[in-house]
Amino acid sequence: MNLKWIDSLDIALALIDKYPEQDPLAIRFTDLRDWVLALEEFDDDPEHCSERILEAIQLCWIDEND
């Protein structure tokens, strides 16, 4: 499955699998962006990323950790 920026929940789940000990509240957006781009299944234009998209991913990650 190829992930796109709009796949916030799927990206968050992939990040949870890759970084299970990471606190999503302690992540800088610059690091979050880099981690998303490094996901093997991620396939989208890095230029289409925005703070709003990163916030959505972070919120999904927080929700899934609760």
Side-chain angles (χ1 to χ4, degrees):
M1 166 169 77
N2 289 335
L3 297 174
K4 305 292 184 192
W5 287 116
I6 62 170
D7 301 320
S8 301
L9 179 57
D10 292 326
I11 291 171
L13 294 173
L15 291 170
I16 289 169
D17 287 344
K18 190 164 185 174
Y19 304 100
E21 301 301 318
Q22 180 64 49
D23 177 1
L25 292 172
I27 300 171
R28 296 184 315 208
F29 280 168
T30 53
D31 293 333
L32 180 56
R33 181 181 183 274
D34 291 343
W35 291 358
V36 171
L37 293 173
L39 290 172
E40 186 175 318
E41 57 268 72
F42 185 78
D43 182 32
D44 204 351
D45 185 348
E47 298 301 315
H48 290 154
C49 180
S50 68
E51 186 173 324
R52 188 173 182 180
I53 289 170
L54 294 172
E55 285 175 349
I57 294 167
Q58 184 184 40
L59 287 174
C60 288
W61 192 342
I62 292 166
D63 287 346
E64 289 300 311
N65 275 346
D66 287 343

